[in-house]
């Protein structure tokens, strides 16, 4: 299924990645927010140059490629944020990038990925096997597949957000709420902040990581998955490498509904003056829903802000 | 016209204000943005707790009130951002605040000011003399008038943004583009950053500060002023105290049209993932319009993000 690699992600790897990322990207802001009378924190990863935290894993992975690997290019599969993370890093390093994206990805994500110089190959979200599409490209070109979450570098790279948070807060958070698709960010944060409780937040009906943590083995989505507005959080399953890191360290987490996600986008608009895409607002939705205990050392990850104007307008005016 | 005070604002005053503000508010982010191939910077004052830089002047002024003055309360006149700055500081210090606001102020600004515990007194924007309304309240209660820009503390407080920028950039900027109503921010920045060129940006037809700088004396708006979407940048004139600071230090600045302001709001939405109100996007509009030279040490002030959802939705979808 996934490109296998014997290397396991490590805290040392996260620290090494954090040094590389600090050299090229300023820390994203950690901003106070009051929820239900408790002042906690949001980490505004939507303010990254590509509008999402995925730039971290992309940079750590691509900078560790050998000259020979760089010459053969990279391939990624992504609904749009990992796509931009890999494309951004590839352009900066002069590496050719091919990104396999679903035909129904938000237009802003398709446009932005192409604007970063990547070649975009489209597939149909239900039906075509996107991993298969990517593998064929890799087989033909010798390119390296950069998986969106089942990759030790990507996990370590995403974890660097936790190193920044610890420096900004002056300690490890009590708890970190992380928007969760495959679990790359959650796994990276658990390595970066071993003293923090990690709470993965998934879309309702798409809580494959949560169910995998409870089952202690990978649970895949069944046939006819429910719809969700969180286009960034729809992998068909997590992966063993993520589960291995998170087992015995992470809560099974919580799931949030589309309505809860929209409320969180509205609050981010009106009280934080931040633009969040649905998937980027999932952790905030969990905090607002009362499903997670909050305290003054709780950090809520705001993971992305790439959303089409029409969709965002419908959410903030309540006419979706 | 304005409450007279013999004290002049000073750079020492800005430095003292900066210490007070650093003790209570984290620096707002300075974020990179590429415009026309040049990487310059935006100072995201829309991420202040009240969504605007006005919290700075409000805090510096109110913390310097005597116990006796605090007991008698404060009065401010504002279309909504200075209102929230004063109300926020007043609530934190246990001071009663009365804010005179135009009846046509954005609903979010009226709601937020009341939510901060201030008493809001409405007036009709063309017709009623808002200074007169405020003076009557002060005469009756002995409250202190906190002017939105013609006040040495307010000027010094707004200037603290320039101290933060200098620390974040590692030097004074070559040039600072500042959204401009009465000129409190522009005057404060020119004290904070004497080596930087200050470029006030006003709405088209409302460039009273620019015209005052050219005439070297206060020029007031005439009858029948043109309409502007920049509700925060509509004073009928600047004031002598602001002009005195800015004369011989500041460019006359530039004026931006409503269409240019909307383009800037759209770019902030899609590329910076930030919510800006029209008046808060004026400096960015000037940068995008090509009316101001940019370089890698240019800083663009994003001064506010308090906008009604319907208005913002219309702007980003292009259906205003």
């Amino acid at each position: 299924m996934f490109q296998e690699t014997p290397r396991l992600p490590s805290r040392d790897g996260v620290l090494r990645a954090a040094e590389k990322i600090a050299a090229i990207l300023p820390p994203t802001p950690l901003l106070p927010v009051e929820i239900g009378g408790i002042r906690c924190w949001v980490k505004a990863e939507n303010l990254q140059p590509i509008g999402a935290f995925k730039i971290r894993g992309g940079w750590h992975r691509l900078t560790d490629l050998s000259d020979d690997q760089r010459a053969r290019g990279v391939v990624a599969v992504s609904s749009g944020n990992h796509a931009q993370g890999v494309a951004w890093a590839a352009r900066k390093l002069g590496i050719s990038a091919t990104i396999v994206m679903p035909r129904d990805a938000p237009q802003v994500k398709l446009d932005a990925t192409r604007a970063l110089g990547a070649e975009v190959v489209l597939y149909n979200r239900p039906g075509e096997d996107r991993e298969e599409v990517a593998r064929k490209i890799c087989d033909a070109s010798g390119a390296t597949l950069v998986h969106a979450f089942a990759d030790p570098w990507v996990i370590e790279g995403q974890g660097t957000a936790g190193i920044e948070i610890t420096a900004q807060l002056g300690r490890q958070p009590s708890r970190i709420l992380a928007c969760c698709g495959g679990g790359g960010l959650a796994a990276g944060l658990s390595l970066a902040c071993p003293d923090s409780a990690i709470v993965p937040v998934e879309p309702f009906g798409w809580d494959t990581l949560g169910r995998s943590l409870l089952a202690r083995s990978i649970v895949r989505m069944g046939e006819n998955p429910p719809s969700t507005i969180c286009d960034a959080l729809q992998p068909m399953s997590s992966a063993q490498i993520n589960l291995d890191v998170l087992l015995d360290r992470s809560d099974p987490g919580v799931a949030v509904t589309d309505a809860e996600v929209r409320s969180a986008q509205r609050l981010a608009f009106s009280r934080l003056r931040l633009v969040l895409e649905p998937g980027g607002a999932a952790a905030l939705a969990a905090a607002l829903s009362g499903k997670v205990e909050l305290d003054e050392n709780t950090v809520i990850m705001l993971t992305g802000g790439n959303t089409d104007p029409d969709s965002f307008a419908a959410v903030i005016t309540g006419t979706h």
Side-chain angles (χ1 to χ4, degrees), chain A residues 216-284:
Chain A
R216 303 187 68 82
S217 69
I218 293 297
V219 175
R220 288 183 59 80
M221 289 296 294
E223 303 280 311
N224 304 315
S227 74
T228 169
I229 57 171
C230 298
D231 60 90
L233 309 179
Q234 293 184 271
M236 297 307 285
S237 77
S238 182
Q240 197 61 43
I241 187 172
N242 304 83
L243 195 61
D244 285 344
V245 172
L246 287 166
L247 267 176
D248 306 320
R249 294 204 209 183
S250 165
D251 284 0
V254 296
V256 289
T257 65
D258 283 357
E260 289 168 336
V261 167
R262 289 192 191 98
S263 290
Q265 289 180 281
R266 280 191 283 270
L267 180 127
F269 165 79
S270 65
R271 294 224 332 249
L272 301 173
R273 290 89 187 175
L274 292 175
V275 176
L276 295 182
E277 63 182 277
L284 182 60

Side-chain angles (χ1 to χ4, degrees), chain A residues 125-258:
Chain A
R125 187 152 353 207
E128 272 188 87
D129 182 342
R130 60 189 195 171
E131 308 289 344
E132 181 62 28
V133 174
R135 189 169 25 243
K136 275 188 194 164
I137 299 169
C138 290
D139 287 348
S141 62
T144 300
L145 181 68
V146 181
H147 197 277
F149 53 86
D151 178 290
W153 284 271
V154 169
I155 291 170
E156 289 168 349
Q158 320 305 34
T160 61
I163 304 298
E164 285 179 18
I165 291 167
T166 302
Q168 290 167 313
L169 207 57
R171 76 188 87 178
Q172 289 183 31
S174 56
R175 190 179 293 102
I176 309 177
L177 281 60
C179 308
C180 183
L185 177 61
L189 292 172
S190 86
L191 292 172
C193 302
D195 297 343
S196 307
I198 306 297
V199 185
V201 180
E202 297 177 280
F204 185 81
W206 286 84
D207 54 337
T208 51
L209 178 67
R211 284 188 272 155
S212 299
L213 284 164
L214 286 170
R216 303 187 68 82
S217 69
I218 293 297
V219 175
R220 288 183 59 80
M221 289 296 294
E223 303 280 311
N224 304 315
S227 74
T228 169
I229 57 171
C230 298
D231 60 90
L233 309 179
Q234 293 184 271
M236 297 307 285
S237 77
S238 182
Q240 197 61 43
I241 187 172
N242 304 83
L243 195 61
D244 285 344
V245 172
L246 287 166
L247 267 176
D248 306 320
R249 294 204 209 183
S250 165
D251 284 0
V254 296
V256 289
T257 65
D258 283 357

